[in-house]
Amino acid sequence: MLIANFTNYGEEITVDGLWQYDYGQRLQINGLNLPDVFEVHLFWKGLEEAKVVTGYTENNKFYVDIPNESLKQRQAITVYIYLSTPETGKTVNTVMMFVNKRPEPEGFEIPEDIDLFHHTLTAVGEYTRQTKEAAQMADARATESESWAHGHKLYPERDKDNAKYYADQAKQVATQNGFCRMEIREDGHLYLSRTENIVQSLDFKINDKGRLGVMMS
C-alpha cells in the first residue's frame, strides 16, 4: 500500500513503491478533509480518458484502489483527487505514482479489478456507523441533562424533581431571610445561603463543570 501525506489542498506529491504486475494495491490519502465517498481520476500513458474510481473511507482513513490494469504497464500513474457537488467540480490535489519496470512473470494474467462498488458500500456502512454513534452520544447527553432537571430512571440518585426542588428551596430561604445565594458545588448539588443584599445574591459564575452557579464571595 502506498501512502500520500498531504499538508494542505492544492499540493502535488510523488510516491514510489509500485512494480509492474502488482495487483490489489491501494493508495492511502492523509492530511485532507475528504467526504466519506469521493471521486478520483487516474491517468496513465495509453489511455484516451482518465479512469474514474471511487475513493472511500475505512476506519476513519481515506483510500483509493489502484486499478490492476494500470500496473501492467510501466509508465507513471497520475491520480487526480476530485471533489464535486451538484453545482461544482474541482481537482484539489494530485499524486504521481511511479511503476517500476520488471520482467513479466511466466503465464501471468492480470486479475480483474476489485469491485469498487463493494467499497462504496463499505464507505456507506462506515458513515452509518458514525451517524449512529453520534446519535447515541446525543441521546446520552440529553438523558444526562434531563436527569439533572427532574430525575431519570437511569440515574436513581437524581430521582427528585430537581428544578422544582431548587425553586421551592430558593423561595423558602428568600421568604425567611430576605435574600439568598445559590451555589452548585463539586458534588453537583445546589446549596442555598442567606445574603445581606440583592447584589450578593446575584453573584453568578460558571463553575468548572460548565454549570451556572452563584458563588460565595
Side-chain angles (χ1 to χ4, degrees):
M1 181 176 65
L2 277 67
I3 299 178
N5 291 311
F6 290 103
T7 58
N8 209 339
Y9 288 113
E11 295 179 326
E12 178 178 321
I13 63 175
T14 299
V15 295
D16 199 1
L18 292 174
W19 289 85
Q20 272 185 289
Y21 311 111
D22 289 351
Y23 61 90
Q25 301 300 302
R26 63 179 182 170
L27 173 68
Q28 179 179 321
I29 300 171
N30 296 335
L32 298 179
N33 184 21
L34 300 174
D36 291 306
V37 179
F38 55 98
E39 192 172 325
V40 178
H41 305 159
L42 296 97
F43 186 81
W44 59 91
K45 187 175 181 179
L47 292 183
E48 294 184 0
E49 298 178 333
K51 185 176 181 64
V52 179
V53 301
T54 303
Y56 56 93
T57 305
E58 188 176 287
N59 296 324
N60 298 317
K61 297 183 183 297
F62 302 109
Y63 295 99
V64 176
D65 289 310
I66 301 172
N68 293 333
E69 62 179 292
S70 69
L71 301 178
K72 193 171 183 179
Q73 52 86 46
R74 64 180 184 86
Q75 304 295 328
I77 305 168
T78 305
V79 180
Y80 302 94
I81 303 172
Y82 191 78
L83 299 184
S84 61
T85 68
E87 295 80 23
T88 63
K90 183 179 181 180
T91 301
V92 292
N93 290 68
T94 58
V95 182
M96 183 72 71
M97 303 186 300
F98 289 103
V99 181
N100 297 300
K101 182 181 179 180
R102 56 150 292 180
E104 181 175 356
E106 182 179 4
F108 177 81
E109 293 184 5
I110 186 170
E112 293 184 3
D113 281 331
I114 295 173
D115 182 5
L116 299 180
F117 182 69
H118 166 75
H119 289 288
T120 301
L121 294 178
T122 299
V124 172
E126 174 70 9
Y127 178 78
T128 301
R129 182 187 66 79
Q130 293 177 14
T131 302
K132 288 182 178 179
E133 288 183 356
Q136 290 172 355
M137 184 175 295
D139 288 343
R141 289 175 177 172
T143 299
E144 175 78 7
S145 299
E146 181 182 350
S147 72
W148 283 113
H150 53 73
H152 193 278
K153 63 181 180 180
L154 296 180
Y155 296 89
E157 72 279 9
R158 305 173 192 171
D159 57 354
K160 291 184 178 180
D161 187 330
N162 295 321
K164 183 177 184 300
Y165 172 77
Y166 293 141
D168 289 343
Q169 289 296 304
K171 181 179 179 180
Q172 291 178 21
V173 174
T175 300
Q176 296 172 3
N177 302 311
F179 300 102
C180 68
R181 173 164 42 222
M182 294 181 293
E183 175 186 358
I184 297 179
R185 297 179 183 172
E186 293 183 357
D187 60 6
H189 294 289
L190 186 145
Y191 294 86
L192 301 164
S193 59
R194 184 187 178 205
T195 64
E196 297 179 359
N197 54 59
I198 188 64
V199 174
Q200 292 179 352
S201 69
L202 296 178
D203 185 16
F204 289 98
K205 293 183 180 180
I206 301 295
N207 64 20
D208 57 1
K209 294 185 177 181
R211 299 191 178 97
L212 179 65
V214 185
M215 308 301 293
M216 296 289 290
S217 58

